[in-house]
Amino acid sequence: MPKRLYIETVGCQMNMLDSELVVATLRKAGYQLVDHPRQADTILFNTCSVRQHAEDKIYSALGRLKHAKEHHPDKIIGVMGCMAQKDQRLIFERAPFVDLVVGPGQLHQIPQLLDKIAAGAGPQLEVSLDRKSGSRDEVQQSFESYDPLRDPQMRPNRYQAYVRIMIGCDKFCTYCIVPRVRGPEQSRPAAHIEAEVRRLVDEGCREVTLLGQTVNSYQHHDGGRTWRLADLLDRLHTIDGLDRLRFVTNYPRDMDDDLLTAVRDLSKVMPYLHVPAQSGSDRILHRMKRGYTVAEYRDMLARIREIVPEAAVTSDFIVGFCGETEDDFRQTVELVRQGRFKNSFIFKYSPRPNTKAYERLDDDVPEEVKRRRNNELLAVQNAISEELNRPLIGHEVEVLVEGPSKAARKQGVDVEAVEGHVVQLTGRTPCDRIVVFDGTPRQIGQLVSVRIYDVNGFTLFGSVVTQHAGPEVFQLQV
Ligand code: 5AD
Ligand code: SF4
């Protein structure tokens, strides 16, 4: 009988990719994926440590399984990913019924570890070295890049895929846990990345998003040559059958003109740049150790707008960081007003043990002030997002169709059952705007032209004009 696996994933795209890879490996080992923990004999949580809230959610989900484990002691419960690396043995202390704790650098060991547990070997813990507990080489080796063969059935749709081009981070922003839990920055060889993308395209994938914590810091030395992100994009651009390339997340200081020129000149590279600013105050940026001033960030924005004027830029901001005054916050509001971001992700500062900010700075902005600043900044950004979307009304945009819209999925639409009928679909424009429109399931995975008739800050609404005739027919790159 196949073993039944349930997996719950929180956090960033890197975690979604890790879950896809773990599930694909376990399916090859005879596991079958189920939709509810109740049906499963193995339950895995892929976790995030970036904010306390994400951890609290996992610990309470674990708490809810205590009872199930008492009644079914053979159920295997595992915690993988960033929180596993951060909390290690503490997870067994807080949730003694957990069987498995695996850091992001050991995911390839999961099948063997599950076998060991099933054979009665007891709880298993596999994590990487802490960043200070060995030489850079030793620590680096303890974070093993995990990029096995892909399984298109494990992705939300087989037309889009993430591809990791680097792991880890060396920037050490003072608030951030990522360099500790994801280890030193290491770029993958361009040839490996190309082989993976080619394989995905052979399997029907049309859009690839390259992933890295600081993706534009990508750098790999190979046979006397240094490959940067611009070179890699140039290389991947030649792959026939691939229509769209994206890359996230960018580090402002590494946004050089070569990369922007590549985005401008390579038609498959989508004009979409996620470049977190984090704050609009120099004093706060300095405390965050971000490595740039607001003026430098604005200069970078100006270069983007000069070289790739059609590009949509998105950002992240943290409000209520240690010592943030009302004046600092006003400067952030000003940057959001002037930055004209397509959208921004806004977070309340959450102190993370073992970071510089946690050790050296006071978390002195009260929760209600953080909340107010969060809401205010969000309102400013939402108004801008809608303002930027409004001129698109009446225009045609190119959409890669992803599948049924959220509403259609909620209604339980089964696209296979309604083949040929009209369903509400969703997809994205080159600039990563979400579009909702009526279409047929046959259009899923196709590039279609959609005329927009309404917008809000988050979504464009439209109707299909034609089946795709080639990107050259679209007047607007939006
Ligand atoms: N508290 C709040 N937000 C954080 N981020 C990273 N660390 C923290 C933290 N300790 C945010 C940053 C980053 C995004 C992924 O999460 O804005 O860009
Ligand atoms: Fe965290 Fe800064 Fe690295 Fe981004 S660049 S992952 S915010 S340390």
Side-chain angles (χ1 to χ4, degrees):
M1 189 160 107
K3 290 169 271 187
R4 287 156 306 172
L5 167 73
Y6 174 81
I7 188 163
E8 198 162 307
T9 306
V10 294
C12 62
Q13 292 105 328
M14 212 47 116
N15 269 15
M16 316 239 286
L17 173 59
D18 282 339
S19 287
E20 178 196 323
L21 300 178
V22 166
V23 171
T25 311
L26 287 175
R27 274 163 49 94
K28 289 209 177 77
Y31 284 76
Q32 172 197 327
L33 203 60
V34 295
D35 296 331
H36 198 278
R38 228 179 302 122
Q39 307 155 336
D41 29 46
T42 302
I43 301 170
L44 294 177
F45 290 95
N46 193 3
T47 59
C48 171
S49 290
V50 146
R51 282 169 290 278
Q52 183 66 43
H53 180 62
E55 295 191 351
D56 293 344
K57 275 195 350 208
I58 295 294
Y59 277 114
S60 42
L62 283 173
R64 286 194 295 274
L65 288 176
K66 184 171 179 234
H67 201 62
K69 178 77 175 180
E70 277 163 12
H71 284 82
H72 305 278
D74 289 345
K75 252 189 213 287
I76 297 180
I77 299 173
V79 176
M80 57 186 259
C82 294
M83 197 182 90
Q85 178 64 36
K86 172 175 162 283
D87 284 358
Q88 306 190 359
R89 276 182 199 292
L90 183 67
I91 297 175
F92 293 132
E93 283 163 33
R94 287 185 64 175
F97 47 89
V98 166
D99 304 283
L100 176 66
V101 173
V102 192
Q106 277 68 35
L107 301 179
H108 57 288
Q109 296 187 33
I110 286 181
Q112 294 87 296
L113 293 168
L114 290 175
D115 285 349
K116 265 188 172 171
I117 295 164
Q124 301 289 314
L125 171 86
E126 284 294 338
V127 288
S128 300
L129 292 176
D130 291 334
R131 286 205 65 155
K132 286 182 201 137
S133 64
S135 68
R136 182 173 173 107
D137 247 19
E138 287 165 340
V139 176
Q140 213 158 283
Q141 277 165 29
S142 78
F143 282 89
E144 293 176 51
S145 184
Y146 178 57
D147 297 285
L149 294 181
R150 306 296 294 260
D151 181 344
Q153 277 172 303
M154 292 334 301
R155 297 196 292 278
N157 71 62
R158 57 192 191 86
Y159 315 103
Q160 294 172 301
Y162 294 125
V163 169
R164 195 184 334 258
I165 68 167
M166 57 198 293
I167 60 171
C169 181
D170 282 345
K171 303 295 193 276
F172 285 97
C173 303
T174 57
Y175 52 80
C176 187
I177 193 70
V178 169
R180 271 108 191 148
V181 292
R182 290 243 170 213
E185 184 181 306
Q186 303 180 64
S187 294
R188 287 177 77 199
H192 292 194
I193 297 165
E194 184 190 338
E196 189 172 342
V197 175
R198 280 192 186 279
R199 193 188 155 103
L200 285 163
V201 170
D202 286 346
E203 291 167 352
C205 183
R206 304 187 70 169
E207 176 179 287
V208 162
T209 302
L210 308 176
L211 295 186
Q213 310 297 343
T214 55
V215 73
N216 57 339
S217 317
Y218 174 84
Q219 193 166 19
H220 194 266
H221 306 286
D222 193 2
R225 166 157 193 199
T226 300
W227 287 84
R228 308 287 316 271
L229 181 56
D231 309 312
L232 183 65
L233 291 171
D234 205 37
R235 182 163 172 171
L236 300 178
H237 193 260
T238 60
I239 298 177
D240 285 338
L242 178 67
D243 292 308
R244 290 178 164 192
L245 270 166
R246 302 183 188 277
F247 52 91
V248 289
T249 293
N250 292 284
Y251 187 62
R253 262 177 65 166
D254 291 331
M255 193 57 99
D256 56 37
D257 284 357
D258 285 352
L259 178 57
L260 294 177
T261 311
V263 177
R264 180 192 66 196
D265 294 344
L266 301 172
S267 58
K268 294 180 183 177
V269 179
M270 295 292 102
Y272 165 73
L273 297 165
H274 181 56
V275 205
Q278 310 295 4
S279 171
S281 150
D282 281 340
R283 217 174 57 83
I284 297 298
L285 286 176
H286 184 71
R287 292 189 133 206
M288 290 176 161
K289 209 172 137 290
R290 282 292 285 178
Y292 52 83
T293 61
V294 181
E296 283 165 341
Y297 186 88
R298 285 181 198 270
D299 283 350
M300 178 214 66
L301 272 183
R303 274 191 300 114
I304 295 178
R305 302 248 139 100
E306 191 192 319
I307 301 175
V308 210
E310 74 276 24
V313 183
T314 60
S315 186
D316 292 347
F317 288 93
I318 297 176
V319 294
F321 186 62
C322 314
E324 186 187 73
T325 62
E326 206 52 34
D327 181 56
D328 293 315
F329 175 64
R330 290 290 135 218
Q331 295 180 45
T332 299
V333 173
E334 216 30 54
L335 180 58
V336 170
R337 274 194 213 289
Q338 292 171 5
R340 313 292 291 165
F341 302 109
K342 177 183 78 94
N343 60 276
S344 293
F345 300 93
I346 298 162
F347 307 103
K348 291 179 289 180
Y349 170 60
S350 168
R352 309 285 55 221
N354 281 319
T355 58
K356 284 261 157 42
Y358 181 88
E359 283 162 2
R360 299 189 187 164
L361 302 170
D362 218 12
D363 173 28
D364 54 0
V365 178
E367 180 59 27
E368 69 268 19
V369 175
K370 287 181 184 171
R371 197 173 323 126
R372 176 182 45 79
R373 289 180 186 169
N374 190 323
N375 292 342
E376 184 179 337
L377 201 57
L378 207 56
V380 172
Q381 176 60 60
N382 288 349
I384 290 169
S385 300
E386 190 174 337
E387 218 177 282
L388 293 175
N389 283 347
R390 221 173 293 134
L392 305 181
I393 295 177
H395 287 278
E396 279 177 40
V397 295
E398 181 201 59
V399 178
L400 176 61
V401 186
E402 295 174 9
S405 69
K406 229 190 231 164
R409 268 178 286 147
K410 250 196 206 140
Q411 288 164 9
V413 170
D414 175 358
V415 287
E416 273 158 34
V418 297
E419 179 66 43
H421 289 65
V422 172
V423 280
Q424 194 177 58
L425 298 173
T426 184
R428 281 171 199 259
T429 69
C431 286
D432 210 44
R433 291 185 159 89
I434 297 168
V435 185
V436 170
F437 56 96
D438 283 341
T440 68
R442 231 173 295 119
Q443 287 165 324
I444 297 172
Q446 305 291 315
L447 287 166
V448 299
S449 179
V450 174
R451 187 181 296 281
I452 302 306
Y453 60 75
D454 198 8
V455 302
N456 61 32
F458 312 99
T459 312
L460 315 180
F461 302 90
S463 15
V464 175
V465 180
T466 51
Q467 193 75 22
H468 177 245
E472 60 284 354
V473 301
F474 301 100
Q475 294 134 358
L476 277 189
Q477 284 272 316
V478 296

